[in-house]
């Protein structure tokens, strides 16, 4: 089934233009571009993990306003979620490649292949490349005897990345489960028929095929300069292939490995490649046979240019998992981050030496790779839990239960949104702050030397500085905004397609647009997905007396609220009303007459001297709702 992407884009652009009109006509200057000139989304993803270090992070944002769940209705997702040019791509066990709008989660297109999709989609020059394949060996054949892996039809596909239309298809005898790699107009991939293929990316024409002898399952290709690296099984070897010569540069046998190396995605950093597999203790010479009764998970580091082994790390063994026995690491700032699905532990190692920095007991197999950003490491397990740990210490920050089974891939982060595909049939877009919100709001001790032009607020333990402090002080201070509840951080706003420096307060969010401070549209954001009273948010007809009626949103303002609105900044401060007045329970557990505006919430509180208008604690509630 194909859905016209252009229609979805047109609808979203129209919505964004309407929202922009409301913001601009609310008395605020049109938002300036963010300090960063980077595009809203990456424009390509040419390999497994999107980069050599296999740390799939894009953008500087630590949070976003994107949050959705897409239900495949049992079409089990099996890959990482890769985002390029605003589309989120994933593959499924029901032979589908799915493209979703990365902001809304709506289906853009779906393509049906000839077999399971286990490769992460690769996107370059407007084309999406993905392989299909069956996971089993051909009947009657043994892996140790040169068997071909890949029952049924197996192919590599090139699709139009925007529409999902087929451009070309190349069929092969074995599965194409490993993720391909795109480089300089050529698509490289290794297969279940024990070969490396190079195809012309535009036409799908075979440029060459190299027989390698080992079978390749889900372990994908990585690249260091002119050297492609990948691991194979039966026999278990790590290969280096020279793109200039078109020949194998080196091959390193790992004779103690008997499982998993062909499923391991090698990460690369500083001239080393990192790969893993299940090994056994070498038997005594007189026995002459492997002894897989003492298996253990081993991490290996080899030189990319020579294949020389630099170090090994024994990750231990708890129990051998059924499939996808290897794991995928990420290398960030000289540290190896990766799980052992067999020992059910997560490790941080010195990437140069293999020395242990810390380990965390998960208790559940983790088969996909982690993602590391801003001092935190995120990963998901086979019980559908998403973890956030301190990258420096391994201390648990948060654990979010999704249910299902995240296997065999892991999460990715784009613009402060964590995307993860789950074998419960769902694909999630989760704001990173939903995993870190307790840290964002955690009180900080008063610094002995505050930055110049800064004020510390002891009740919440946060400071306000610079332009945010100027705005806070000049525009009403405590009564309008409340205390700061976070420090400054980067947040992605999907309507503008920009990342801004923001700071949350009890009653507001301040945003730095270039050099100008603007109020965030918290009222609209907080009520967008789940309005507290749907009837109150429906537009009404213009009354006879149009004072306090706004045709732009179709709502009137309660007279008490209208006076407060006019006297405290009006349209520029609060935006248009987006609901009618209605009864609602506030943060204190009591019920008040309430009305939502684009940027705030008004509440009518009875007092000894009559009714009093107070602003809701919408900043705190919005942050807690992430």
């Amino acid at each position: 089934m194909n859905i016209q992407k252009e229609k979805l884009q047109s609808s979203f652009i129209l919505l964004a233009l309407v929202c922009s009109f409301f913001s601009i006509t609310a008395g605020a200057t049109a938002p300036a571009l963010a300090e960063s000139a980077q595009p809203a989304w990456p424009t390509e993803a040419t390999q497994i993990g999107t980069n050599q270090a296999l740390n799939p992070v894009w953008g500087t944002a630590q949070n976003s306003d994107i949050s959705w769940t897409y239900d495949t209705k049992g079409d089990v997702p099996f890959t990482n979620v890769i985002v390029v040019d605003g589309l989120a791509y994933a593959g499924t066990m029901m032979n589908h490649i799915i493209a979703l709008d990365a902001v809304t989660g709506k289906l853009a297109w779906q393509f049906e292949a000839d077999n399971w999709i286990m490769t992460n989609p690769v996107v370059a020059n407007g084309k999406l490349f993905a392989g299909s394949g069956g996971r089993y060996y051909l009947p009657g054949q043994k892996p140790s005897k040169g068997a071909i892996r890949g029952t049924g039809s197996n192919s590599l596909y090139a699709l139009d990345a925007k529409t999902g239309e087929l451009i070309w298809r190349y069929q092969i005898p074995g599965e194409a489960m490993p993720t391909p790699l795109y480089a300089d107009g050529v698509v490289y991939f290794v297969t279940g028929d024990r070969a490396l293929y190079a195809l012309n990316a535009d036409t799908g024409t075979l440029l060459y095929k190299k027989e390698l002898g080992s079978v390749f399952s889900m372990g994908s290709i990585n690249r260091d300069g002119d050297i492609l690296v990948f691991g194979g099984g039966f026999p278990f070897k790590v290969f280096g292939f020279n793109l200039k010569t078109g020949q194998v540069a080196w091959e390193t046998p790992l004779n103690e490995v008997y499982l998993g190396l062909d499923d391991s995605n090698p990460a690369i950093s500083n001239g080393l490649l990192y790969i893993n597999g299940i090994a056994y203790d070498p038997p005594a010479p007189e026995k002459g046979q492997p002894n897989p009764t003492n298996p253990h998970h081993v991490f290996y580091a080899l030189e990319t240019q020579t294949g020389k082994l630099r170090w090994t790390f024994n990750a231990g063994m708890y129990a051998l998992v059924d499939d996808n026995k290897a794991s995928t690491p990420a290398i960030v700032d000289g540290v190896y981050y990766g799980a052992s699905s067999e020992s059910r532990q997560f490790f941080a190692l010195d990437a140069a030496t293999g020395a242990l920095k810390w380990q965390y007991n998960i208790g559940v197999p983790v088969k996909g790779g982690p993602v590391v950003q801003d001092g935190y490491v995120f990963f998901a397990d086979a019980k559908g839990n998403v973890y956030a740990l301190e990258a420096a210490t391994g201390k648990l920050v948060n654990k979010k239960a999704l249910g299902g089974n995240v296997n065999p891939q892991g999460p990715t982060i784009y613009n402060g949104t964590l995307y993860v595909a789950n074998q419960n049939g769902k694909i999630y877009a989760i704001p990173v702050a939903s995993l870190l919100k307790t840290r964002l709001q955690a009180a900080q001790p008063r610094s002995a030397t505050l930055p110049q032009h800064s004020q510390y607020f002891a009740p919440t333990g946060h400071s306000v500085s610079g332009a945010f402090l100027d705005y806070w002080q000049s525009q009403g201070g405590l009564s309008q905004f409340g205390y700061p509840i976070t420090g400054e951080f980067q947040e992605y706003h999907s309507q503008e397609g920009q990342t801004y420096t923001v700071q949350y307060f009890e009653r507001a969010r301040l945003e730095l647009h270039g050099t100008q401070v603007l109020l965030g549209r918290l009222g609209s954001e907080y009520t967008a997905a789940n309005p507290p009273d749907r009837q109150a948010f429906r537009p009404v007809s213009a009354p006879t007396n149009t004072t306090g009626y706004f045709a732009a949103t179709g709502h009137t303002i309660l007279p008490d609220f209208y006076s407060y609105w006019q006297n405290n900044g009006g349209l520029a401060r609060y935006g248009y009303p987006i609901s009618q007045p209605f009864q609602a329970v506030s943060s204190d557990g009591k019920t008040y007459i309430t009305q939502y505006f684009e940027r705030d919430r008004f509440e009518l509180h009875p007092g000894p001297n009559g009714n009093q208008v107070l602003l809701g604690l919408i900043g705190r509630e919005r942050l807690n709702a992430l």
Side-chain angles (χ1 to χ4, degrees), residues 44-52 54-57 82-83 412 414:
E44 64 178 16
T46 59
Q47 64 173 86
I48 183 72
T50 73
N51 55 52
Q52 284 186 325
L54 303 195
N55 188 40
V57 175
I82 304 302
V83 180
T412 59
Y414 295 87

Side-chain angles (χ1 to χ4, degrees), residues 177-189:
M177 293 191 298
T179 297
L181 182 143
Y182 173 92
D184 304 321
V186 180
V187 181
Y188 301 92
F189 61 107

Side-chain angles (χ1 to χ4, degrees), residues 68-69 125 181 392 420 498 522 563 569:
W68 50 258
T69 300
N125 289 340
L181 182 143
V420 62
Q498 296 292 331
L522 288 183
S563 297

Side-chain angles (χ1 to χ4, degrees), residues 504-540:
Y504 277 77
F505 294 75
E506 291 176 301
R507 307 180 195 281
R509 181 182 67 222
L510 301 189
E511 305 171 359
L512 189 62
H513 291 231
T515 58
Q516 182 182 15
V517 176
L518 297 177
L519 280 175
R521 300 178 72 253
L522 288 183
S524 296
E525 293 173 17
Y526 185 62
T527 61
N530 189 25
D533 185 319
R534 292 188 180 276
Q535 182 61 40
F537 281 78
R538 294 191 177 101
V540 298

Side-chain angles (χ1 to χ4, degrees), residues 26 76 99 117 128 171 197 227 274 304 318 353 425 573 577 593 624:
V76 179
I117 303 294
L128 180 148
Q171 289 186 276
Y197 290 80
I227 300 294
Y274 304 87
T304 59
Y318 176 87
T353 66
R573 171 70 57 79
I593 296 176
N624 288 336

Side-chain angles (χ1 to χ4, degrees), residues 151-504:
T151 50
S153 182
N154 309 283
S155 305
L156 188 82
Y157 293 90
L159 309 179
D160 184 295
K162 290 294 184 183
T163 67
E165 297 297 326
L166 178 65
I167 297 174
W168 54 256
R169 173 190 180 194
Y170 186 88
Q171 289 186 276
I172 47 178
E175 41 76 9
M177 293 191 298
T179 297
L181 182 143
Y182 173 92
D184 304 321
V186 180
V187 181
Y188 301 92
F189 61 107
V190 287
T191 63
D193 55 304
R194 301 172 180 262
L196 167 71
Y197 290 80
L199 304 183
N200 181 297
D202 290 330
T203 64
T205 304
L206 179 66
L207 300 177
Y208 57 82
K209 173 185 175 182
K210 298 295 179 180
E211 303 286 350
L212 298 174
S214 292
V215 69
F216 302 95
S217 177
M218 291 183 65
S220 303
I221 299 176
N222 207 334
R223 179 186 182 188
D224 190 9
D226 293 325
I227 300 294
L228 300 182
V229 298
F230 40 88
F234 306 104
F236 290 92
K237 297 179 180 181
V238 185
F239 295 85
F241 185 85
N242 191 308
L243 291 177
K244 282 188 174 181
T245 65
Q247 301 296 326
V248 173
W250 53 263
E251 54 184 82
T252 301
L254 298 177
N255 295 322
E256 71 277 17
V257 173
Y258 73 102
L259 288 172
L261 190 73
D262 51 336
D263 274 335
S264 181
N265 297 316
I268 291 176
S269 180
N270 293 324
L272 294 181
L273 72 93
Y274 304 87
I275 198 166
N276 62 84
I278 311 304
Y280 58 87
D281 288 336
E286 61 272 14
K287 293 183 180 178
Q289 294 295 327
N291 179 23
T293 59
N294 186 27
H296 47 282
H297 199 165
V298 181
F299 303 158
Y300 297 91
L302 296 83
E303 295 178 358
T304 59
Q305 298 299 311
T306 67
K308 180 182 178 181
L309 185 65
R310 287 280 291 271
W311 57 257
T312 63
F313 178 84
N314 187 338
M317 176 65 68
Y318 176 87
L320 200 64
V321 296
D322 291 338
D323 52 21
N324 307 121
K325 295 175 174 59
S327 59
T328 297
I331 318 300
V332 180
D333 296 330
V335 180
Y336 174 113
Y337 296 96
S340 165
S341 54
E342 317 306 323
S343 68
R344 306 184 180 188
Q345 304 281 327
F346 192 93
F347 297 93
L349 312 178
D350 185 295
T353 66
L356 177 67
K357 287 180 170 291
W358 54 259
Q359 70 185 77
Y360 174 81
N361 180 25
I362 311 163
V364 177
V366 169
K367 301 181 180 182
V371 59
V372 184
Q373 184 182 33
D374 295 322
Y376 298 96
V377 55
F378 306 88
F379 59 89
D381 68 22
K383 294 292 185 182
N385 298 301
V386 179
Y387 298 76
L389 306 183
E390 288 183 353
T393 65
K395 182 179 179 181
L396 179 66
V397 174
N398 199 2
K399 178 180 173 182
K400 186 180 182 71
L402 302 177
N405 176 4
V406 180
N407 168 36
Q409 306 293 353
T412 59
I413 293 178
Y414 295 87
N415 290 325
T417 304
L418 185 144
Y419 294 87
V420 62
N422 194 324
Q423 290 192 10
N424 65 2
K426 295 178 180 177
I427 299 172
Y428 300 89
I430 304 169
V432 170
S434 68
L435 294 164
L436 302 179
K437 59 190 174 187
T438 56
R439 289 302 177 90
L440 291 173
Q441 297 183 74
Q444 302 296 320
R446 186 186 186 107
S447 173
T449 55
L450 283 174
Q452 190 175 11
H453 192 48
S454 179
Q455 183 175 345
Y456 179 78
F457 294 85
T460 56
H462 289 282
S463 297
V464 185
S465 304
F468 285 160
L469 181 59
D470 288 339
Y471 190 92
W472 188 90
Q473 291 175 331
S474 66
Q475 299 297 318
L478 203 58
S479 65
Q480 289 295 307
F481 310 113
Y483 290 111
I485 56 173
T486 71
E488 295 181 9
F489 62 93
Q490 300 290 300
E491 187 171 70
Y492 179 76
H493 295 175
S494 59
Q495 283 190 355
E496 298 96 333
Q498 296 292 331
T499 296
Y500 301 114
T501 299
V502 304
Q503 185 167 13
Y504 277 77

